[in-house]
């Protein structure tokens, strides 16, 4: 018995020695090998972020490119502020119409196809806009400007709707942070558009900014074709309850929040340059002032996205953003009942405050809409992401369509200062409705909690009867 035990112990020691030697050899081998590549899923996410960041950056630049110089050029061609305001806003009208169509197509058509085709169309249309300098003044100029902007709208709607869908499908655990990165790219595009547009206009005239920006979009078409992977998310079949999705207090609140954000951005793009003419600024300085809101927006969206991802209530973040926007609107004109005149620094300071507010509202609105939809029982899949993405695109474009149109009309009739009063009234009205919705939601939650606690104290048969009466 003792001899057998000794044999077994010596065998165990020999096995331990062999295992130790094998681990040492493996460790040496691992040190000689190059570091392992990231798993395929990480490479796919990297490709998605790089390609979509590039596309959204240059599409946003195409949208904001002409803000520092197009109003003056259009007036030289015989256009009124109302007419060139509609040239700005028809871009958004097309997105309003096309985004629900693209959203409906997403479960059946590859999001990659929508993105690449959208960037291709947007790049060609951006280059074509530069050729308007050779069009005769009057009706032909305005008509062709409308046509080119309509095609730009087709491309932007396709890119925006599919981009948000791919982000939600690829980054399900960090939707807010990932979405905020896309919004940062868009905000940086808003920065580069007016600044570089103003500089290139000063150097090479009207054509140069559009050809350069359009060329980068066409290059983006090639980059997207190779880098952007196909989305492997589930493609569900069957109908979706669109009315059930839309007719909810939370969804309506987030939708109006997005509309008011883009309404101000559109209003500003059409009216800020005439407001700043009193300061005799160069096109480059004008471009810098135009991008202040976009710069703050781009820098702060990741912060708001991280706050949403760690569990903050999107509605409360929305309220914070709306208050900041209201403060900025009071001083940017300033409103007529303030007894001081505008200076460059009051305009700049107001744009900074408004940029903080817009980033809080937009990020929290997208995240809140997605959370609200899934919590109400909609499937957590590509079809639902498509609906939320289409809603976001439509709401953005509705605000951006109303903004320049209303801005041109107000500039013609009341002037910039009184126009900011109208925009302030709209934002303050939305803030009041949002606070009422939050208050009613809190009261309803408290009432439901008290009802549950009361039913828990009742005998089971009585509690069952009370539920049956409440459902009648």
């Amino acid at each position: 018995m003792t001899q057998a035990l000794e044999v077994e112990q010596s065998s165990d020691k020999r096995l331990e020695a062999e295992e130790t030697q094998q681990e040492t050899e493996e460790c040496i081998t691992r040190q000689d090998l190059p570091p392992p590549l990231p798993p395929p899923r990480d490479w796919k996410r990297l490709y998605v972020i790089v390609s979509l960041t590039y596309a959204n950056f240059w599409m946003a630049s195409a949208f904001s490119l002409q803000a520092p110089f197009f109003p003056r050029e259009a007036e030289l061609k015989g256009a009124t502020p109302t007419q060139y305001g509609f040239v700005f806003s028809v871009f958004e009208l097309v997105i309003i119409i096309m985004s629900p169509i693209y959203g409906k197509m997403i479960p059946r058509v590859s999001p990659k196809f929508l993105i690449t085709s959208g960037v291709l169309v947007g790049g060609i249309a951006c280059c074509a806009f530069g050729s308007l300098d050779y069009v005769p003044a009057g009706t032909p100029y305005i008509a062709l400007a409308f046509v080119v902007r309509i095609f730009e709208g087709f491309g932007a709607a396709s890119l925006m709707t599919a981009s948000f869908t791919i982000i939600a499908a690829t980054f399900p655990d960090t939707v807010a942070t990932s979405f905020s990165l896309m919004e940062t790219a868009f905000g940086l595009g808003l920065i580069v558009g007016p600044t570089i547009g103003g500089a290139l206009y000063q150097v090479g005239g009207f054509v140069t900014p559009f050809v350069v920006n359009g060329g980068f979009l066409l290059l983006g078409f090639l980059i997207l074709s190779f880098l952007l992977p196909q989305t492997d998310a589930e493609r569900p079949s069957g109908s979706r309850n669109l009315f059930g999705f839309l007719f909810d207090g939370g969804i309506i609140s987030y939708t109006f929040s997005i509309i008011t954000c883009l309404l101000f951005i559109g209003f500003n793009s059409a009216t800020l340059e005439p407001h700043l003419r009193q300061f005799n600024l160069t096109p480059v300085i004008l471009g810098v002032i135009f991008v202040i809101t976009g710069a703050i927006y781009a820098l702060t969206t990741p912060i708001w996205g991280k706050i949403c991802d760690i569990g903050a209530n999107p509605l409360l973040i929305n309220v914070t953003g709306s208050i900041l926007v209201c403060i900025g609107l009071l001083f940017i004109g300033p409103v007529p009942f303030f007894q001081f005149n505008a200076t460059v620094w009051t305009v700049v300071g107001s744009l900074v405050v408004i940029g903080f507010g817009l980033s809080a509202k937009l990020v929290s609105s997208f995240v809140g809409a997605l959370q609200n939809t899934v919590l109400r029982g909609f499937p957590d899949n590509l079809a639902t992401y498509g609906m939320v993405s289409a809603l976001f695109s439509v709401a953005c474009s509705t605000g951006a369509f109303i903004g320049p149109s209303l801005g041109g009309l107000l500039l013609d009739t009341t002037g910039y200062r009184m126009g900011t009063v109208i925009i302030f009234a709209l934002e303050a009205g939305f803030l009041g409705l949002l606070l009422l919705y939050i208050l009613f939601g809190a009261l309803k939650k408290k009432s439901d909690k008290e009802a549950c606690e009361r039913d828990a104290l009742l005998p089971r048969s009585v509690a069952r009867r009370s539920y049956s009466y409440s459902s009648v």
Side-chain angles (χ1 to χ4, degrees):
M1 186 72 177
T2 304
Q3 185 176 3
L5 184 60
E6 291 176 354
V7 171
E8 184 177 352
Q9 290 176 348
S10 62
S11 177
D12 291 342
K13 290 178 181 179
R14 186 168 60 254
L15 288 174
E16 289 177 1
E18 291 176 356
E19 289 175 358
T20 303
Q21 183 179 359
Q22 184 178 0
E23 289 176 359
T24 304
E25 292 174 355
E26 288 179 356
C27 182
I28 295 172
T29 305
R30 282 197 300 270
Q31 291 175 353
D32 294 337
L33 292 175
L37 293 173
R41 183 67 176 175
D42 290 346
W43 279 109
K44 177 182 176 181
R45 291 185 173 191
L46 177 63
Y47 293 154
V48 168
I49 285 293
V50 169
S51 54
L52 291 185
T53 296
Y54 183 95
N56 280 273
F57 176 86
W58 288 109
M59 191 63 78
S61 177
F63 169 75
S64 62
L65 189 67
Q66 62 268 55
F69 57 86
F70 181 71
R72 186 184 297 273
E73 289 283 339
E75 288 176 2
L76 292 175
K77 291 283 190 176
T80 66
T82 301
Q83 288 174 326
Y84 64 69
F86 276 110
V87 170
F88 277 102
S89 60
V90 72
F91 176 90
E92 309 297 341
L93 179 62
V94 175
I95 298 178
I96 294 170
I97 297 171
M98 294 305 300
S99 290
I101 298 174
Y102 290 138
K104 190 74 175 176
M105 291 167 58
I106 278 175
R108 301 170 182 83
V109 178
S110 167
K112 179 179 179 178
F113 172 77
L114 291 177
I115 289 174
T116 51
S117 60
V119 172
L120 177 62
V121 172
I124 294 172
C126 187
C127 293
F129 203 93
S131 65
L132 292 176
D133 196 39
Y134 305 104
V135 176
T139 303
Y141 181 85
I142 296 299
L144 285 176
F146 271 107
V147 170
V148 175
R149 289 288 278 181
I150 285 170
F151 277 96
E152 281 190 25
F154 278 116
S158 183
L159 170 66
M160 290 171 63
T161 305
S163 291
F164 298 140
T165 303
I166 287 184
I167 285 295
T170 309
F171 302 92
D173 299 326
T174 56
V175 171
T177 303
S178 305
F179 170 76
S180 65
L181 288 175
M182 301 309 303
E183 287 300 296
T184 298
F186 194 88
L188 290 173
L190 293 177
I191 295 170
V192 169
T195 306
I196 301 299
L200 291 175
Y201 172 78
Q202 203 167 10
V203 171
F206 186 84
V207 178
T208 307
F210 298 100
V211 171
V212 171
N213 198 100
F216 278 110
L217 278 173
L218 294 176
L219 177 63
F221 165 73
L222 299 176
I223 294 174
L224 288 160
S225 299
F226 289 103
L227 280 186
L228 187 64
Q230 294 286 352
T231 302
D232 56 2
E234 177 189 359
R235 295 175 180 272
S237 59
S239 61
R240 289 170 284 171
N241 186 0
L242 184 61
F243 288 103
F245 165 67
L246 291 175
F247 290 104
D248 173 77
I251 290 296
I252 293 173
S253 298
Y254 292 127
T255 301
F256 276 100
S257 176
I258 298 167
I259 289 173
T260 54
C261 284
L262 273 295
L263 189 149
F264 168 77
I265 293 174
F267 170 83
N268 226 34
S269 66
T271 61
L272 185 60
E273 188 272 334
H275 178 57
L276 293 172
R277 288 178 192 172
Q278 59 184 308
F279 305 120
N280 297 317
L281 304 173
T282 65
V284 175
I285 300 300
L286 280 174
V288 172
I289 291 177
F290 264 93
V291 304
I292 289 173
T293 297
I296 300 300
Y297 173 76
L299 292 172
T300 56
T301 45
I303 299 173
W304 294 117
K306 197 68 178 178
I307 292 172
C308 287
D309 271 339
I310 62 177
N313 188 337
L315 285 171
L316 297 181
I317 296 177
N318 226 300
V319 169
T320 303
S322 187
I323 292 172
L324 291 173
V325 172
C326 285
I327 294 171
L329 285 170
L330 288 173
F331 291 93
I332 193 170
V335 292
F337 47 81
F338 280 0
Q339 299 302 316
F340 62 89
N341 293 322
T343 66
V344 173
W345 293 111
T346 58
V347 173
V348 169
S350 300
L351 291 174
V352 169
V353 174
I354 291 171
F356 275 103
L358 293 179
S359 62
K361 290 179 65 179
L362 281 171
V363 173
S364 63
S365 294
F366 181 79
V367 176
L370 188 58
Q371 291 176 355
N372 175 286
T373 304
V374 174
L375 287 174
R376 285 190 292 130
F378 284 79
D380 191 3
N381 59 23
L382 195 64
T384 299
Y385 303 153
M387 283 198 302
V388 176
S389 300
L391 173 71
F392 187 84
S393 299
V394 169
C396 284
S397 300
T398 301
F401 169 71
I402 296 172
S405 305
L406 182 62
L409 183 63
L410 291 174
L411 196 64
D412 268 341
T413 55
T414 66
Y416 185 83
R417 292 184 69 174
M418 196 62 199
T420 59
V421 175
I422 305 298
I423 306 301
F424 170 80
L426 292 173
E427 183 67 35
F430 162 74
L431 176 60
L433 293 175
L434 183 60
L435 290 172
L436 285 175
Y437 173 73
I438 294 173
L439 177 62
F440 286 136
L443 292 175
K444 184 177 182 300
K445 188 180 294 185
K446 181 179 179 181
S447 175
D448 292 343
K449 183 180 179 181
E450 290 175 351
C452 290
E453 291 175 350
R454 184 174 60 251
D455 290 337
L457 298 175
L458 296 174
R460 183 172 300 180
S461 59
V462 177
R464 191 159 49 236
R465 285 199 300 273
S466 66
Y467 278 117
S468 66
Y469 287 130
S470 65
S471 63
V472 173

